[in-house]
Amino acid sequence: MPTTSEQLRPWLDRVLANHESWAAEFGQFTPHDSLALKESEVEAALDELASRLRDNYPFFHPRYAGQMLKPPHPVAIAGYAAAMLINPNNHALDGGPATAKMEREVVRQLAEMFGYGEHLGHLTSSGTIANLEALHVAREMHPGLGVAYSADSHYTHSRMCKLIGVAGHAVPVDGTGKIDLDALESLLRKGKIGTVVVTAGTTGLGVVDPVHEVVALRSRYDFRIHVDAAYGGFFSLIAGTEGIDPVPWQAIRHCDSIVVDPHKHGLQPYGCGAVLFADPSVGRFYVHDSPYTYFTSDELHLGEISLECSRPGAAAAALWLTLKLLPLRSDGLGAVLAAGRRAAVRWHELIGQSDRLVPYQRPELDIVTYFPAESTLSAIDAASGRMLREGMTDKDDPIYLSTLRAGADAFGMRGIAAVADVAGARVLRSVLMKPESEGYLGRLHERVVALAG
């Protein structure tokens, strides 16, 4: 298969040719002298930029198995570049008529992926902003009531609750990191919760909360359900295969709002998040007017249903092009996620067979957690830190991991026999979201085992 550069060069040439053909239709004009640059200075600056960009980890390479980072698909880069040459703004239709249509199309596809029919939604610059919008609507729907989320949910929920002046309630998790249903119901009985956040793919362990069980609780209590699927949402494409339980994913269609990040498993550049609402009437909570913005069309402008104003139309174009070529099906984009999922399950098995590494928790999606075989939590913590440091600083054969801090109780709940001589310990955490991890797994495992030794 050709490299990213080999794929991109002809695609970018086509992008430029198409743009030049379109631009020529409007006639010639003389560029202003103030924009002129000296070729030698540009080349020098580009070389300096390249040098500075070397101070990055190789997110593109499967030896990078640390955080939730990977490059966008080359076709997404081509799509982004094609629209960026025009630089449309998807806030108002006169700022981006073509890309606004593309945004509606991709949002509809995302909604259908989760089982939504009628819906309201749009792209955002991040999952954080998308979750803020969902919680903003939740506050307006249930004024004076709080928001409940699991203790292992993303920290954005507690931050956003403080921002919008809503009481946030962290619910304990069970022995697998899922929201504890008994603790949640105990909180719901008090009548102070208006919205429950369930997570479809926690950022620490990749755990999927029991969405169906929370939906069942709604028959006894009055609350909204928001699904934070920023990380795991695209796994709905392969739910029921690859050992993934389909039941929680099937229940998402019965929830009130959903957040998903195409810039994670959707192969998009940062930033590209999305928020979806099952009830289009929540658009009333965004109502505002702008006498100099919404004037070219009687159709709904995307800025009228968004807390953000200026947003890049290029993000919509990149996602539209990507989904045209890798559609939201199990044999399209789903095949990319399936490779990472298989790699994670296989690595968990290899770790379980090792005498130097111990599995922390079986992966539910594509995040693998493990730790060096030591008898005390303090020794586990020290060895995990050493492995992380030595792997990342090895000049000849680096390997990039990340860590997750777990309390002594979390080790105990998982039946891990380690002496709790300290309050907790770091475990190693690897995100196998690049499909190339599947083919590189043997080398990755060999290298991590060597670090443990």
Side-chain angles (χ1 to χ4, degrees):
M1 181 175 173
T3 65
T4 296
S5 297
E6 290 169 340
Q7 293 179 82
L8 260 179
R9 284 192 182 95
W11 296 349
L12 290 179
D13 284 345
R14 193 173 191 89
V15 163
L16 291 171
N18 289 340
H19 178 76
E20 290 168 358
S21 175
W22 173 77
E25 296 175 9
F26 299 93
Q28 297 294 317
F29 67 94
T30 303
H32 197 275
D33 289 345
S34 64
L35 300 174
L37 300 173
K38 292 182 179 179
E39 189 65 27
S40 60
E41 292 179 354
V42 173
E43 290 178 354
L46 287 174
D47 289 346
E48 182 181 354
L49 173 63
S51 177
R52 297 194 66 166
L53 287 175
R54 292 180 67 85
D55 187 23
N56 269 304
Y57 301 127
F59 306 127
F60 69 95
H61 199 285
R63 72 168 63 240
Y64 183 86
Q67 303 289 359
M68 297 167 172
L69 294 164
K70 65 177 180 180
H73 194 286
V75 81
I77 298 173
Y80 202 101
M84 190 170 56
L85 289 166
I86 304 169
N87 202 26
N89 180 351
N90 271 21
H91 177 63
L93 288 175
D94 63 302
T99 50
K101 292 177 183 176
M102 292 180 195
E103 180 166 340
R104 289 197 184 95
E105 290 176 29
V106 297
V107 166
R108 183 176 67 250
Q109 292 176 61
L110 293 174
E112 290 171 350
M113 177 178 72
F114 291 112
Y116 273 9
E118 192 178 19
H119 64 277
L120 185 77
H122 59 87
L123 299 182
T124 65
S125 60
S126 67
T128 299
I129 296 300
N131 276 308
L132 170 61
E133 295 206 15
L135 295 184
H136 159 70
V137 168
R139 181 193 65 183
E140 299 303 300
M141 292 290 287
H142 288 291
L145 296 179
V147 175
Y149 42 81
S150 91
D152 280 7
S153 68
H154 197 275
Y155 58 82
T156 190
H157 298 295
S158 61
R159 291 178 66 191
M160 293 304 108
C161 282
K162 291 177 183 177
L163 180 64
I164 63 177
V166 169
H169 302 264
V171 180
V173 296
D174 63 17
T176 61
K178 300 177 189 290
I179 192 168
D180 186 294
L181 293 169
D182 290 336
L184 174 61
E185 185 165 14
S186 178
L187 185 61
L188 290 170
R189 287 194 193 102
K190 298 177 182 178
K192 296 182 179 180
I193 299 299
T195 299
V196 174
V197 177
V198 289
T199 304
T202 58
T203 48
L205 294 170
V207 164
V208 179
D209 280 334
V211 183
H212 53 298
E213 300 282 5
V214 177
V215 169
L217 282 174
R218 198 170 51 185
S219 65
R220 300 196 293 276
Y221 307 94
D222 179 25
F223 63 91
R224 289 172 57 82
I225 304 175
H226 170 57
V227 183
D228 181 0
Y231 181 70
F234 288 100
F235 279 93
S236 61
L237 297 172
I238 57 171
T241 68
E242 303 296 340
I244 298 175
D245 182 4
V247 178
W249 300 97
Q250 293 166 349
I252 289 178
R253 69 185 62 199
H254 303 299
C255 299
D256 298 284
S257 56
I258 308 166
V259 160
V260 64
D261 276 358
H263 65 217
K264 290 190 172 75
H265 281 106
L267 305 176
Q268 298 306 293
Y270 290 108
C272 185
V275 61
L276 308 166
F277 296 97
D279 179 6
S281 73
V282 301
R284 66 188 184 276
F285 299 122
Y286 291 93
V287 170
H288 66 281
D289 190 26
S290 175
Y292 59 87
T293 303
Y294 309 129
F295 61 84
T296 60
S297 173
D298 291 332
E299 292 183 48
L300 182 71
H301 297 254
L302 291 168
E304 296 179 87
I305 55 166
S306 169
L307 293 183
E308 294 179 277
C309 292
S310 297
R311 293 183 301 109
L319 183 56
W320 179 89
L321 184 62
T322 304
L323 297 187
K324 190 169 185 65
L325 297 163
L326 289 169
L328 296 178
R329 301 194 307 257
S330 60
D331 61 346
L333 183 60
V336 179
L337 282 80
R341 164 66 180 164
R342 287 192 300 268
V345 171
R346 177 57 182 153
W347 197 12
H348 175 78
E349 294 170 350
L350 290 173
I351 290 169
Q353 297 164 10
S354 170
D355 58 357
R356 298 186 188 180
L357 299 171
V358 180
Y360 178 72
Q361 177 164 315
R362 182 176 178 80
E364 193 165 355
L365 299 179
D366 59 4
I367 298 177
V368 186
T369 48
Y370 52 97
F371 55 91
E374 300 287 350
S375 60
T376 66
L377 292 188
S378 61
I380 289 172
D381 183 76
S384 293
R386 176 189 59 77
M387 290 174 64
L388 177 71
R389 182 177 61 255
E390 291 181 359
M392 294 175 68
T393 57
D394 189 315
K395 293 182 179 180
D396 298 320
D397 192 11
I399 202 78
Y400 303 88
L401 310 172
S402 66
T403 58
L404 171 71
R405 183 165 294 280
D409 57 336
F411 280 89
M413 291 171 73
R414 288 165 174 80
I416 297 171
V419 177
D421 58 335
V422 292
R426 287 170 292 176
V427 299
L428 293 160
R429 168 180 169 274
S430 292
V431 182
L432 303 187
M433 64 190 305
K434 292 183 289 290
E436 295 84 1
S437 297
E438 187 174 25
Y440 196 77
L441 186 59
R443 176 62 184 143
L444 181 63
H445 178 66
E446 177 185 82
R447 189 71 184 88
V448 173
V449 168
L451 285 173

